[in-house]
Structure formats: structure tokens, C-alpha cells
Amino acid sequence: MSGVTMNKVIKRYGETQVIHGIDLEIEDGEFCVFVGPSGCGKSTLLRMVAGLEETTEGQMHIGTRNVTKMDPAERGVAMVFQTYALYPHMTVAENMGFGLKMNGHPRAEIDAKVGEASRILKLDDYLKRKPAALSGGQRQRVAIGRAIVRGPEVFLFDEPLSNLDAELRVEMRVEIARLHREIGATMIYVTHDQVEAMTLADKIVVLKSGYIAQVGAPMDLYRDPDNKFVAGFIGSPAMNFVAGEIGSDRIAVPGLGVDVPAPTSGTTGQKVEVGLRPEHIELVAGDTHVVELTEALGGVSYAYLASKASGERVVVEERGDERVREGQEVGITFEPNRIYAFDATSEQRVR
Ligand code: ADP
């Protein structure tokens, strides 16, 4: 097994640069998730690790091997795609063993490896079926089984759960986490879904427009975002942002109805966006905000407030049994240390 190292990795399609000099260290055995909105470059970066896209500049290492110019087959990686890419005329067992068969491995070895993969993935009862007779989740298991059978140093997953319905996605997410625990291989996983990223990753790489916005453990990104992009992307519902201006030792934030302590590195007069997560706000008696809408999800509900001073929207998560009504006037309260400040222009954190 091996980690993956990228040094100043760049991808250009003709004149258009889409990956802008990525430096990244993925440890041996780590579950690393590339996450970001559509078009941020996460699939391209994954395909560059696989060798399916050429690396225009920079170096890519798997373990100690420089794989930058290697063919996909030489890199010791196996990729699982969103579309499964199974052979329809082959059984589950044949699909899983096909790569080894093509490479001339003996029958007994193939059977043993397919047997082991099907045990891990609970596919034993389906080995003789064709893909058409499987559910979406089972097909994706077969695609993962095909990767396991090849015994790669690094597993690459490209949005593997996107074609599954919500319930199955949760089930397969748990399966993939279990698979990683059981086989302990390095895994790189691409998704646009921050919940998948938070629940699966040891390390999350948040990408924005071909740059790394931040790298870190899931809870570190949640607690300590470096910029407004990461703050808004990680966490659901998203962090609230309201405009503020730093004074001598307080930030005036009309949209929250109160001043908050200014960060030490801020300067007087600096325009900021103040961030506050819905789960860190409590509703209290008051008249600074009006409830525009409520959404009850069962265990939690969300109150969408409008600030009477600024018109800005603030979302509040409620967990108790008492719920506010639309049209009601309320106040809000929160622990001052739950506040984040981001420069209004650069969107970088002001600490
Ligand atoms: P993501 O996986 O994050 O949705 P992609 O890696 O697919 O994003 O794409 C990143 C950027 O590269 C996008 O702007 C996309 O339009 C561009 N891109 C991807 N493939 C090509 C290509 N073959 N030619 C030109 N541009 C491409």
C-alpha cells in the first residue's frame, strides 16, 4: 500500500488551465475526499492520479514511484465509476475476475480473489447473475468488487453513489466506510456532496476553481474554516453570513441585532462577512427578526428569519418541541465564540 503525493500539479486543456498547481500529500491508508461544486476540477484531479488524464506539469507519486508519465495499468490503482461500467453479458463473478483473467492469472487464484471480494461485499448469492438482474446498489458493489480483486495500492472512486436513490446512498456510504476499515487501503473519493465528504473522509480536500480552498480533517474544516467558501460549503444547512464592520473592539452587525467581539487581527473600518451556523443560534423573545418561513423535518426544524434592520436572512435550527410561527417577531442569541469573520473582499478568515 502507498500514499499519493502531488507536487505543483497542473492541468491544461489547450489554452485553458483547469488545475492550478496542486500540492497535496495523501497518507498511506488514508481515506481522502475531493469535494467541491460542479466544475471545480475534482474529477480531473482524480483522473490524473489514475493516469486517464495526462498531467500537464508537476509530479505525481504513488508511494515512492514517480507515476507522472505512467500508463494507467502500471500505476497500481483501481477506479470505481459512477456508471459502474459492467459487462452486461458476463456474470457477477466473471465481471469481477475479468481483469485478472485478461492478465493471465491462474483460475484458482482468480476464484480465490473473487470469493474474498464477494465475501467482503456480501455478493455471494449473486455471483452467477448478470448485471441486468441486479439492483443499482448491487451493481455498484460489483464494480467495487472488481477493484478489490485487482488488489490495487490506491482505490479511486468517482462519485460512485450519484446514481443511487437517497436510502441506498446512505447504505452504500456505510458499506464503503466499512470496506475502508476492513482493507485499510489508500482511497481517494470524489463527491460534490459535503455530507458524504464529512462522513467518509479522514482528510477532506475542498476544491474551488482548480485551487485547493482548504485541506483538513472533517471536523477541523467545520470548526476552523480558513475562508468563506469552506465555511459555507461544509455544514448543512449552510452557515449564515451577514454584513458587518469592525469598530474599535466590536463588530457592528445590524443583521444579527447585536454587536459581537472583533477578531484581534481585524482593522477598524474593515468590512467583513460575519458567519454563524444555524445550529449555534437560539431563538429568544425579542423583535429584531421576523419569522418568514419554518420547515419541520421531525427531529429538527428550521426557522428562516429576516432581520428587521437589514433585511438579511438568518436560518436557525430548532430542536425543542416549541416552534415559532411564520410572521412572529423574535430575537436571537448565540455564544460569541461561535462567530466567524471573513474579509468582505478577499473572503479570507479574519482571526
Ligand atoms: P468536477 O469533477 O469538479 O465537476 P471537472 O474536473 O469535470 O469538474 O472539470 C473541471 C473543469 O475542467 C471544468 O471547468 C470543465 O469544463 C473543464 N474540463 C473538463 N474536461 C475537459 C476537456 N476535456 N476539455 C476542456 N475542458 C475540460
Side-chain angles (χ1 to χ4, degrees), residues 13 18 36-45 53 159 190:
Y13 292 107
V18 297
S38 180
C40 69
K42 47 195 189 299
S43 295
T44 303
L45 198 58
E53 294 286 352
E159 303 245 13
V190 160

Side-chain angles (χ1 to χ4, degrees), residues 76-92:
V77 302
M79 189 140 162
V80 177
F81 298 92
Q82 181 180 341
T83 52
Y84 323 136
L86 301 178
Y87 297 110
H89 59 286
M90 290 185 198
T91 65
V92 166

Side-chain angles (χ1 to χ4, degrees), residues 13 107 112 115 126 161 183 220 350:
Y13 292 107
R107 181 66 194 258
Y126 304 96
L161 308 187
I183 63 181
D220 291 342
V350 184

Side-chain angles (χ1 to χ4, degrees), residues 11-14 16-19 34-47 53 158-159 190-192 207 209-210:
K11 178 69 188 178
R12 272 191 293 270
Y13 292 107
T16 315
Q17 187 160 320
V18 297
I19 299 289
F34 296 169
V35 71
S38 180
C40 69
K42 47 195 189 299
S43 295
T44 303
L45 198 58
L46 188 79
R47 293 169 63 83
E53 294 286 352
D158 193 358
E159 303 245 13
V190 160
T191 180
H192 61 272
L207 290 167
S209 311

